[in-house]
Short mmCIF file of all heavy atoms in Angstrom, two decimals:
data_model
loop_
_atom_site.label_atom_id
_atom_site.label_comp_id
_atom_site.label_asym_id
_atom_site.label_seq_id
_atom_site.Cartn_x
_atom_site.Cartn_y
_atom_site.Cartn_z
N LEU A 299 -21.64 -4.96 -10.48
CA LEU A 299 -21.19 -5.55 -11.74
C LEU A 299 -22.18 -6.59 -12.26
O LEU A 299 -22.41 -6.69 -13.47
CB LEU A 299 -19.80 -6.14 -11.57
CG LEU A 299 -18.71 -5.09 -11.32
CD1 LEU A 299 -17.43 -5.74 -10.83
CD2 LEU A 299 -18.46 -4.26 -12.56
N THR A 300 -22.78 -7.32 -11.35
CA THR A 300 -23.81 -8.28 -11.75
C THR A 300 -25.03 -7.55 -12.31
O THR A 300 -25.63 -7.99 -13.30
CB THR A 300 -24.20 -9.17 -10.55
OG1 THR A 300 -23.03 -9.85 -10.07
CG2 THR A 300 -25.24 -10.20 -10.94
N LEU A 301 -25.39 -6.44 -11.70
CA LEU A 301 -26.49 -5.62 -12.21
C LEU A 301 -26.19 -5.17 -13.64
O LEU A 301 -27.03 -5.31 -14.53
CB LEU A 301 -26.72 -4.40 -11.31
CG LEU A 301 -27.68 -3.34 -11.87
CD1 LEU A 301 -29.12 -3.84 -11.81
CD2 LEU A 301 -27.52 -2.03 -11.13
N TRP A 302 -24.99 -4.61 -13.85
CA TRP A 302 -24.65 -4.11 -15.18
C TRP A 302 -24.60 -5.22 -16.21
O TRP A 302 -24.99 -5.02 -17.37
CB TRP A 302 -23.34 -3.32 -15.15
CG TRP A 302 -23.54 -1.94 -14.64
CD1 TRP A 302 -23.09 -1.42 -13.47
CD2 TRP A 302 -24.29 -0.90 -15.27
NE1 TRP A 302 -23.51 -0.11 -13.34
CE2 TRP A 302 -24.24 0.23 -14.44
CE3 TRP A 302 -24.99 -0.81 -16.47
CZ2 TRP A 302 -24.87 1.43 -14.75
CZ3 TRP A 302 -25.62 0.38 -16.80
CH2 TRP A 302 -25.55 1.48 -15.94
N ARG A 303 -24.14 -6.39 -15.82
CA ARG A 303 -24.14 -7.52 -16.75
C ARG A 303 -25.56 -7.81 -17.21
O ARG A 303 -25.83 -8.02 -18.38
CB ARG A 303 -23.51 -8.75 -16.10
CG ARG A 303 -23.33 -9.91 -17.06
CD ARG A 303 -22.86 -11.16 -16.30
NE ARG A 303 -22.30 -12.17 -17.14
CZ ARG A 303 -22.99 -12.95 -17.96
NH1 ARG A 303 -24.28 -12.80 -18.09
NH2 ARG A 303 -22.38 -13.88 -18.68
N GLY A 304 -26.50 -7.82 -16.26
CA GLY A 304 -27.90 -8.06 -16.59
C GLY A 304 -28.52 -6.94 -17.40
O GLY A 304 -29.29 -7.19 -18.34
N VAL A 305 -28.20 -5.70 -17.07
CA VAL A 305 -28.74 -4.54 -17.80
C VAL A 305 -28.26 -4.57 -19.26
O VAL A 305 -29.05 -4.43 -20.19
CB VAL A 305 -28.33 -3.22 -17.11
CG1 VAL A 305 -28.59 -2.01 -18.01
CG2 VAL A 305 -29.07 -3.06 -15.78
N PHE A 306 -26.95 -4.76 -19.44
CA PHE A 306 -26.43 -4.79 -20.80
C PHE A 306 -26.97 -5.98 -21.60
O PHE A 306 -27.20 -5.86 -22.80
CB PHE A 306 -24.90 -4.82 -20.79
CG PHE A 306 -24.26 -3.54 -20.31
CD1 PHE A 306 -23.11 -3.58 -19.54
CD2 PHE A 306 -24.79 -2.30 -20.62
CE1 PHE A 306 -22.51 -2.42 -19.10
CE2 PHE A 306 -24.21 -1.13 -20.19
CZ PHE A 306 -23.05 -1.19 -19.42
N ALA A 307 -27.16 -7.11 -20.93
CA ALA A 307 -27.70 -8.29 -21.63
C ALA A 307 -29.10 -8.01 -22.18
O ALA A 307 -29.49 -8.56 -23.20
CB ALA A 307 -27.73 -9.49 -20.68
N ARG A 308 -29.84 -7.14 -21.52
CA ARG A 308 -31.18 -6.78 -22.01
C ARG A 308 -31.13 -5.59 -22.98
O ARG A 308 -31.92 -5.53 -23.91
CB ARG A 308 -32.09 -6.45 -20.83
CG ARG A 308 -32.40 -7.66 -19.96
CD ARG A 308 -33.36 -7.31 -18.85
NE ARG A 308 -34.65 -6.91 -19.37
CZ ARG A 308 -35.72 -7.71 -19.45
NH1 ARG A 308 -35.64 -8.93 -19.03
NH2 ARG A 308 -36.84 -7.27 -19.94
N PHE A 309 -30.22 -4.65 -22.73
CA PHE A 309 -30.18 -3.43 -23.54
C PHE A 309 -29.51 -3.65 -24.90
O PHE A 309 -29.98 -3.14 -25.92
CB PHE A 309 -29.45 -2.33 -22.77
CG PHE A 309 -29.38 -1.00 -23.47
CD1 PHE A 309 -30.53 -0.36 -23.92
CD2 PHE A 309 -28.17 -0.38 -23.69
CE1 PHE A 309 -30.48 0.86 -24.57
CE2 PHE A 309 -28.09 0.85 -24.33
CZ PHE A 309 -29.25 1.47 -24.77
N PHE A 310 -28.43 -4.41 -24.95
CA PHE A 310 -27.68 -4.54 -26.19
C PHE A 310 -28.48 -5.16 -27.34
O PHE A 310 -28.33 -4.72 -28.48
CB PHE A 310 -26.36 -5.27 -25.96
CG PHE A 310 -25.33 -4.42 -25.25
CD1 PHE A 310 -24.22 -5.02 -24.67
CD2 PHE A 310 -25.44 -3.04 -25.16
CE1 PHE A 310 -23.25 -4.26 -24.02
CE2 PHE A 310 -24.48 -2.27 -24.52
CZ PHE A 310 -23.39 -2.89 -23.94
N PRO A 311 -29.32 -6.16 -27.12
CA PRO A 311 -30.15 -6.63 -28.25
C PRO A 311 -31.06 -5.53 -28.80
O PRO A 311 -31.26 -5.44 -30.02
CB PRO A 311 -30.96 -7.79 -27.65
CG PRO A 311 -30.11 -8.28 -26.53
CD PRO A 311 -29.45 -7.04 -25.96
N ALA A 312 -31.59 -4.69 -27.92
CA ALA A 312 -32.42 -3.56 -28.37
C ALA A 312 -31.58 -2.56 -29.16
O ALA A 312 -32.06 -1.97 -30.13
CB ALA A 312 -33.09 -2.88 -27.18
N VAL A 313 -30.33 -2.39 -28.77
CA VAL A 313 -29.45 -1.48 -29.51
C VAL A 313 -29.17 -2.04 -30.90
O VAL A 313 -29.20 -1.29 -31.89
CB VAL A 313 -28.13 -1.21 -28.76
CG1 VAL A 313 -27.18 -0.37 -29.61
CG2 VAL A 313 -28.40 -0.50 -27.44
N TRP A 314 -28.94 -3.35 -31.02
CA TRP A 314 -28.73 -3.94 -32.35
C TRP A 314 -29.93 -3.69 -33.25
O TRP A 314 -29.77 -3.32 -34.42
CB TRP A 314 -28.45 -5.44 -32.24
CG TRP A 314 -27.04 -5.76 -31.88
CD1 TRP A 314 -26.59 -6.30 -30.71
CD2 TRP A 314 -25.87 -5.55 -32.68
NE1 TRP A 314 -25.22 -6.43 -30.73
CE2 TRP A 314 -24.76 -5.98 -31.93
CE3 TRP A 314 -25.66 -5.04 -33.97
CZ2 TRP A 314 -23.45 -5.92 -32.43
CZ3 TRP A 314 -24.37 -4.98 -34.46
CH2 TRP A 314 -23.28 -5.42 -33.70
N VAL A 315 -31.14 -3.88 -32.73
CA VAL A 315 -32.34 -3.63 -33.53
C VAL A 315 -32.41 -2.15 -33.89
O VAL A 315 -32.73 -1.79 -35.03
CB VAL A 315 -33.61 -4.09 -32.77
CG1 VAL A 315 -34.88 -3.64 -33.49
CG2 VAL A 315 -33.60 -5.60 -32.59
N SER A 316 -32.09 -1.28 -32.93
CA SER A 316 -32.10 0.16 -33.19
C SER A 316 -31.09 0.54 -34.26
O SER A 316 -31.39 1.34 -35.14
CB SER A 316 -31.81 0.93 -31.90
OG SER A 316 -32.84 0.73 -30.96
N VAL A 317 -29.89 0.00 -34.17
CA VAL A 317 -28.85 0.29 -35.15
C VAL A 317 -29.32 -0.11 -36.55
O VAL A 317 -29.18 0.66 -37.52
CB VAL A 317 -27.52 -0.42 -34.79
CG1 VAL A 317 -26.56 -0.48 -35.96
CG2 VAL A 317 -26.87 0.27 -33.60
N LEU A 318 -29.91 -1.29 -36.66
CA LEU A 318 -30.42 -1.73 -37.96
C LEU A 318 -31.54 -0.82 -38.46
O LEU A 318 -31.58 -0.47 -39.65
CB LEU A 318 -30.89 -3.18 -37.89
CG LEU A 318 -29.79 -4.21 -37.68
CD1 LEU A 318 -30.39 -5.60 -37.46
CD2 LEU A 318 -28.81 -4.21 -38.84
N ALA A 319 -32.43 -0.43 -37.56
CA ALA A 319 -33.54 0.45 -37.94
C ALA A 319 -33.02 1.82 -38.37
O ALA A 319 -33.47 2.38 -39.38
CB ALA A 319 -34.53 0.59 -36.79
N ILE A 320 -32.09 2.37 -37.61
CA ILE A 320 -31.54 3.69 -37.92
C ILE A 320 -30.77 3.66 -39.24
O ILE A 320 -30.97 4.51 -40.11
CB ILE A 320 -30.64 4.19 -36.77
CG1 ILE A 320 -31.45 4.43 -35.50
CG2 ILE A 320 -29.88 5.46 -37.18
CD1 ILE A 320 -30.61 4.55 -34.24
N LEU A 321 -29.89 2.69 -39.38
CA LEU A 321 -29.08 2.60 -40.59
C LEU A 321 -29.96 2.34 -41.81
O LEU A 321 -29.84 3.02 -42.84
CB LEU A 321 -28.03 1.51 -40.44
CG LEU A 321 -27.02 1.37 -41.57
CD1 LEU A 321 -26.24 2.67 -41.78
CD2 LEU A 321 -26.06 0.22 -41.28
N GLY A 322 -30.86 1.38 -41.71
CA GLY A 322 -31.72 1.05 -42.85
C GLY A 322 -32.64 2.18 -43.25
O GLY A 322 -32.75 2.53 -44.43
N SER A 323 -33.28 2.80 -42.27
CA SER A 323 -34.22 3.89 -42.58
C SER A 323 -33.47 5.13 -43.06
O SER A 323 -33.91 5.82 -43.98
CB SER A 323 -35.09 4.22 -41.38
OG SER A 323 -34.30 4.66 -40.28
#
């Protein structure tokens, strides 16, 4: 669970940028 907390903490900001890039483009 500690691993997943760390993984998501790094992945989710990249997903937000991706969502903005996908939606905008």
Side-chain angles (χ1 to χ4, degrees):
L299 293 166
T300 302
L301 169 73
W302 280 111
R303 187 187 197 287
V305 167
F306 291 143
R308 293 183 64 99
F309 182 55
F310 286 164
V313 175
W314 279 112
V315 171
S316 295
V317 164
L318 292 173
I320 294 164
L321 185 59
S323 62

